[in-house]
Amino acid sequence: MKIVDAKVVVTSPGRNFVTLKLTTDDGLTGLGDATLNGRELSVVSYLSDHVTPLLIGLDPHRIEDTWQYLYRGAYWRRGPVTMAAIAAVDVALWDIKAKVAGLPLYQLLGGAGRDRLRTYGHADGRDIPELLDSVRTRLAEGYPAVRIQSGVPGLKAVYGVHTTDAHGAAVPHQQARPLVEDWDTDAYLRHTPAMFEAVRAEFGPGLPLLHDAHHRLTPIQAARLGKDLEPYRPFWLEDCTPAENQEALRLVRRHTTTPLAVGEVFNSVFDYQTLVTEQLIDYVRSTVTHFGGVTPLRKLFDFAAQYQIRTAPHGPEDISPVGMAAALHLDLAVHNFGIQEYSGYTPLTHEVFRPSFTFTDGHLHPGTAPGIGVDLDEDLAAAHPYRAAYLPVNRLQDGTLHDW
Ligand code: CS2
Ligand code: MG
């Protein structure tokens, strides 16, 4: 079997997604997700200019060899653009292999290790009462676990919290020029334990509560927050310090038993080396799309398993349904699955991608269709072209640019 066509599809049914479609001489197709939120076109160029011409004529069954060819063969290794591009190829090849076998991908990864996948959803509010309402909505939707983020008194716009304009209409957080949010770490550190206290008081001790600090704290600030949250038993504190410095987590870990989750911006096992071998974290947050595909993510998950670290793939809407489907197959197979982030997709996104995965009673399942189980409607995709859309930036009150 040979690859005879490789096409990159960019579509924006609400937000931008980049998809690679490979076709074999037998007429089989495979899809892979290459979406890098806010930097989408760099991956389109990497794929179209430097990768797809090399794929024509290759045997699609040689997944590991193709991965090494694209990773080692380029000489320049790692980085989000490279690894998103390689991920798309890797997933498209797994999709084809599983279709040839007539099996859902998880069967090729060892088969189901569980019946269904626990998820968490996002709750947010500009103040505590609005957050409590949002938690209620997520629970009514069936989510068994909830990430809580709230506005901080004195700040106008904070990560993870929706904003509205003067007429009450929702302001999309992705814009043609980045929105500017504001930040004050002391105010956040005072407010966040109070937010947890209010949610625990309302929903009791049993509900798993997660929180994302989005890389904004120094190690000693993160240690303080971890300690202050201990009475409320968070499921995890995510990305408490900037992700580049693995050693920072040593200090945090020494001071708190609050579980730590890290890794949505990582793209290589080497980003995790110290974190995993020194057991500085409890959850690895990488997903297929930004980590070079199913092939390397499986290796990371197995590595993490030796240290009793569990998996929790990144899963906001900016992972396309193709990337989400691939992650769900891996989630179902690996022994150390922890939880899957899932914020759902718009109805139009479901029409463009037509995924066969299901979300029932707060749990996902990748479905049993051969391959990864996603069909792309290319005509509908073409009707919704790319639009420039950037993530916000974040400034301290004196104007200094801070982590977003
Ligand atoms: C986040 C994301 O889901 C998460 O945990 O940190 O919302 C993140 O901000 C976006 O994926 C950025 O593209
Ligand atoms: Mg996050």
Side-chain angles (χ1 to χ4, degrees):
M1 198 189 285
K2 282 187 170 30
I3 299 169
V4 295
D5 190 46
K7 182 175 174 189
V8 182
V9 176
V10 187
T11 182
S12 187
R15 58 195 306 158
N16 294 314
F17 297 117
V18 178
T19 309
L20 175 70
K21 179 181 175 186
L22 299 182
T23 306
T24 72
D25 52 355
D26 289 2
L28 284 174
T29 58
L31 298 178
D33 179 24
T35 306
L36 187 61
N37 195 358
R39 293 293 184 271
E40 297 88 354
L41 300 184
S42 58
V43 193
V44 174
S45 163
Y46 192 108
L47 279 170
S48 315
D49 296 332
H50 304 296
V51 173
T52 55
L54 306 180
L55 298 177
I56 306 304
L58 297 188
D59 175 358
H61 278 305
R62 298 187 61 171
I63 298 178
E64 178 73 30
D65 184 62
T66 304
W67 195 89
Q68 301 295 345
Y69 180 67
L70 295 175
Y71 181 76
R72 291 174 201 280
Y75 186 61
W76 308 107
R77 297 182 187 186
R78 306 161 63 180
V81 177
T82 297
M83 299 309 275
I86 298 178
V89 177
D90 184 78
V91 170
L93 296 181
W94 278 111
D95 194 18
I96 291 170
K97 191 185 282 296
K99 284 178 181 171
V100 172
L103 294 170
L105 174 58
Y106 68 81
Q107 295 291 14
L108 274 56
L109 301 173
R114 58 196 52 74
D115 301 328
R116 58 184 193 155
L117 303 167
R118 172 170 67 155
T119 67
Y120 72 90
H122 293 181
D124 74 280
R126 285 166 296 185
D127 54 23
I128 304 262
E130 204 176 77
L131 171 64
L132 298 179
D133 283 346
S134 177
V135 173
R136 260 177 230 114
T137 305
R138 297 290 91 83
L139 295 179
E141 288 164 354
Y143 280 101
V146 186
R147 187 186 87 164
I148 52 172
Q149 309 288 141
S150 87
V152 174
L155 299 183
K156 290 188 297 294
V158 168
Y159 166 78
V161 181
H162 73 282
T163 43
T164 51
D165 64 18
H167 310 287
V171 176
H173 88 144
Q174 292 213 300
Q175 304 267 348
R177 286 186 72 86
L179 278 177
V180 181
E181 297 182 345
D182 55 347
W183 190 246
D184 174 341
T185 301
D186 287 339
Y188 164 79
L189 290 176
R190 284 194 303 274
H191 176 70
T192 303
M195 171 186 80
F196 265 86
E197 185 172 20
V199 176
R200 276 280 171 246
E202 182 75 11
F203 297 99
L207 177 63
L209 295 177
L210 301 79
H211 179 69
D212 193 341
H214 232 242
H215 321 277
R216 292 179 174 194
L217 308 177
T218 65
I220 202 71
Q221 290 167 340
R224 158 60 54 204
L225 181 61
K227 277 172 86 146
D228 287 350
L229 295 184
E230 279 171 23
Y232 312 109
R233 300 286 174 111
F235 184 93
W236 79 36
L237 172 61
E238 177 183 344
D239 285 336
C240 55
T241 55
E244 299 92 322
N245 184 6
Q246 297 185 49
E247 287 75 14
L249 272 294
R250 286 189 187 133
L251 188 144
V252 183
R253 197 62 152 178
R254 225 176 280 139
H255 290 285
T256 180
T257 56
T258 290
L260 302 173
V262 169
E264 67 182 41
V265 300
F266 291 173
N267 48 67
S268 158
V269 68
F270 296 105
D271 297 327
Y272 282 106
Q273 208 166 5
T274 303
L275 297 177
V276 170
T277 56
E278 295 186 20
Q279 292 184 280
L280 300 180
I281 57 174
D282 300 280
Y283 294 89
V284 291
R285 291 275 293 136
S286 290
T287 194
V288 169
T289 305
H290 301 132
F291 205 76
V294 168
T295 299
L297 194 61
R298 175 66 193 251
K299 293 173 188 176
L300 170 71
F301 285 0
D302 289 345
F303 174 48
Q306 311 314 312
Y307 295 86
Q308 292 178 287
I309 295 170
R310 289 194 285 162
T311 71
H314 189 207
E317 263 189 286
D318 50 79
I319 309 297
S320 92
V322 173
M324 178 61 66
L328 300 183
H329 286 279
L330 197 50
D331 287 345
L332 201 70
V334 295
H335 182 250
N336 55 330
F337 171 71
I339 196 163
Q340 173 66 55
E341 181 182 25
Y342 185 66
S343 43
Y345 294 100
T346 63
L348 183 59
T349 302
H350 272 269
E351 278 179 57
V352 171
F353 286 97
R354 292 197 252 117
S356 53
F357 59 74
T358 52
F359 179 67
T360 315
D361 298 330
H363 291 74
L364 284 156
H365 190 282
T368 54
I372 60 167
V374 182
D375 285 322
L376 177 67
D377 181 333
E378 290 185 57
D379 294 334
L380 195 56
H384 299 279
Y386 169 82
R387 290 178 307 171
Y390 293 98
L391 292 168
V393 296
N394 187 30
R395 290 192 184 274
L396 304 182
Q397 301 205 311
D398 68 358
T400 307
L401 197 92
H402 195 59
D403 297 271
W404 189 74

